[in-house]
Amino acid sequence: MRQILTIAYYELVHILKDRILFLLVFAVPLGYTALFGSVYITATLTGIPLGIVDLDNSRLSREVVTAFENNPNFEIKQDVNTYPRLEEAMKDGTVRAGIVIPENFFEKAAQNRQTDILTVYDSSNLVWGYNIRKAAQEVISTINTNHTAAYLAGLGIPQHQVIDILNTVTLNYEVWYNPTFSYATFLFMGLVMMIIHQIGLLSAGIAVTRDKANNCWLQYIYSPIPQWKIFLGKTLPYFIANFFNYSLLIWFSNRIIHVKTGGSLPLIILLGLLYTLIIISAGFCISVRAANSLQVTRYLMLLSVPFFIISGYSWPTSHIPDFVNGIARMLPFTWMAEGFKLVTLKELGLPYIVKNLLALSVMAILTLYLALTFNKRRKPPQEDGLEINSGNSFPQK
């Protein structure tokens, strides 16, 4: 135990003495989370800039304008009131949507003839497009219902009968798990899990390559200390730091970004421990086999985007090709992101995440075995690439 703690102490001293490594381990995860959180902190899209072109200028058309003005989802741009100005405003981003009320709108409505209100919206960004269409449909549906009610009342039908007619078929719905349609709740924790994944892999992934570059890995290779003690000593600071970051970022996301993170605390802790163990063990294995730190950083930088995209976190797995799903199922991020969402967002219990825990446990055992039994044979550093973390073999006090 003393040997493990001694190795861990020297690794911790390296972390504390290396300013870049210290920031990578302790500051970058929170910094990234705060940065991403500032993007999604509003959670829902409101105040959509809207231009209204009223070509009828009647009492009814002004009621339509008022209805959009009173809807919190829209912010009316008063200077965008002609079709040419609307086209220009859509191009330069002044507005993201437009309402065009046609001529003779009131006349056709009074004659109970079908008349269309044109809605145009910018769908180059799907978040804008989806929210604009949804909000505009709600406003138009309310206007149409009110007009129908007024017409039926004008025919002498009692109010209670009007209500019965309009409510012949109604849509009742309940929104489960994310009732406010918060985009942060939907996406943000997946980004947090990827931050933990990549920072943990990178920090543990340069633990050995740094020593190779400084020629002090030899003291471990030729020492009588068994592999498992070297692994535990070298990775213990990173394991503690990564799990601390996991806990800190969940707290930060819940308290500051207001992301829903409910569910069973023991399950959240268990998922975090397994995930951290896999990441740190895999990072150590990569570091032992890599020639230098540049190799590690090159490969890990290439992995973050595909890992997130193919995991099924942001796009349903049912609509992803089977061979891509097969690759995704071999990645710890896929199982962790899914399991974390089931526990914290849906607040489901152990029976619903058994397969996730089993998959993560198998990966943890495999990576842990490879890390504990690494080959102590020396592999000389490559001379043809940029070396990172060069300097003294031992931290200077």
Side-chain angles (χ1 to χ4, degrees):
M1 186 64 183
R2 184 176 180 180
Q3 290 177 322
I4 295 173
L5 293 178
T6 300
I7 297 172
Y9 168 75
Y10 275 101
E11 192 64 31
L12 180 61
V13 172
H14 270 297
I15 296 173
L16 297 177
K17 297 288 287 186
D18 188 330
R19 185 180 304 172
I20 301 299
L21 184 57
F22 176 83
L23 292 175
L24 180 68
V25 173
F26 293 105
V28 170
L30 182 59
Y32 275 6
T33 302
L35 179 63
F36 295 163
S38 68
V39 174
Y40 297 110
I41 197 166
T42 56
T44 57
L45 203 63
T46 58
I48 301 168
L50 175 72
I52 300 181
V53 179
D54 185 358
L55 300 177
D56 191 47
N57 198 26
S58 62
R59 175 181 56 81
L60 184 58
S61 68
R62 287 192 291 272
E63 289 179 6
V64 173
V65 173
T66 301
F68 277 97
E69 288 176 340
N70 292 336
N71 190 295
N73 293 299
F74 294 107
E75 178 185 345
I76 309 302
K77 298 297 182 181
Q78 301 295 341
D79 60 320
V80 183
N81 51 20
T82 65
Y83 198 82
R85 179 70 186 99
L86 175 61
E87 287 185 316
E88 187 62 32
M90 288 283 284
K91 291 176 183 178
D92 63 24
T94 302
V95 298
R96 294 292 179 174
I99 300 295
V100 181
I101 304 172
E103 296 177 346
N104 303 320
F105 173 69
F106 175 75
E107 181 182 342
K108 288 183 178 180
Q111 296 172 5
N112 298 319
R113 293 162 54 193
Q114 181 176 341
T115 180
D116 296 323
I117 294 177
L118 176 64
T119 305
V120 296
Y121 55 88
D122 181 358
S123 198
S124 59
N125 184 316
L126 292 181
V127 178
W128 282 115
Y130 168 76
N131 283 275
I132 291 167
R133 183 173 62 180
K134 176 176 173 290
Q137 285 176 341
E138 291 174 356
V139 174
I140 297 300
S141 177
T142 301
I143 293 171
N144 194 47
T145 300
N146 292 338
H147 176 74
T148 303
Y151 173 75
L152 293 176
L155 295 177
I157 300 176
Q159 184 178 5
H160 70 276
Q161 289 188 16
V162 171
I163 295 174
D164 290 341
I165 292 170
L166 292 176
N167 293 335
T168 300
V169 178
T170 60
L171 174 64
N172 250 347
Y173 62 88
E174 293 181 3
V175 182
W176 291 7
Y177 310 128
N178 188 9
T180 61
F181 295 98
S182 167
Y183 202 72
T185 297
F186 160 63
L187 185 65
F188 188 72
M189 291 312 300
L191 295 175
V192 169
M193 292 302 116
M194 183 51 66
I195 291 170
I196 294 168
H197 184 281
Q198 290 303 100
I199 298 300
L201 268 181
L202 182 58
S203 57
I206 61 177
V208 174
T209 54
R210 179 196 61 236
D211 289 345
K212 290 178 182 179
N214 296 333
N215 289 321
C216 58
W217 181 236
L218 297 176
Q219 67 179 331
Y220 297 106
I221 293 178
Y222 295 124
S223 72
I225 303 175
Q227 292 100 315
W228 67 272
K229 287 187 176 181
I230 297 173
F231 161 71
L232 291 178
K234 293 288 287 181
T235 59
L236 183 60
Y238 300 106
F239 179 87
I240 295 173
N242 215 50
F243 187 75
F244 169 78
N245 284 328
Y246 171 79
S247 306
L248 175 63
L249 298 190
I250 291 175
W251 176 87
F252 182 87
S253 302
N254 178 263
R255 296 292 183 176
I256 308 302
I257 314 300
H258 305 297
V259 175
K260 181 182 178 183
T261 51
S264 168
L265 182 59
L267 287 180
I268 294 174
I269 293 173
L270 179 58
L271 285 169
L273 289 173
L274 288 173
Y275 192 48
T276 301
L277 181 59
I278 295 169
I279 291 169
I280 299 304
S281 300
F284 181 82
C285 291
I286 293 170
S287 194
V288 167
R289 288 162 176 76
N292 54 49
S293 298
L294 180 61
Q295 235 180 42
V296 175
T297 55
R298 278 175 174 171
Y299 296 140
L300 293 186
M301 285 177 63
L302 294 174
L303 295 178
S304 57
V305 174
F307 277 13
F308 185 79
I309 297 299
I310 71 174
S311 68
Y313 194 90
S314 61
W315 188 254
T317 55
S318 58
H319 291 68
I320 297 177
D322 290 340
F323 79 94
V324 177
N325 277 327
I327 297 172
R329 289 297 174 183
M330 294 187 291
L331 305 174
F333 174 79
T334 302
W335 294 100
M336 177 61 186
E338 180 186 63
F340 191 84
K341 181 185 287 186
L342 292 176
V343 173
T344 60
L345 185 56
K346 293 190 173 182
E347 299 189 19
L348 301 179
L350 178 62
Y352 295 92
I353 64 164
V354 167
K355 64 178 183 179
N356 301 80
L357 292 175
L358 287 176
L360 291 173
S361 297
V362 170
M363 293 179 187
I365 292 171
L366 177 61
T367 54
L368 191 60
Y369 172 77
L370 294 174
L372 290 171
T373 59
F374 72 92
N375 195 332
K376 291 180 71 174
R377 182 180 60 192
R378 180 185 180 187
K379 183 178 180 181
Q382 290 185 349
E383 302 294 340
D384 59 346
L386 173 67
E387 293 292 339
I388 299 177
N389 299 320
S390 58
N392 295 321
S393 298
F394 297 95
Q396 301 298 315
K397 293 185 179 180

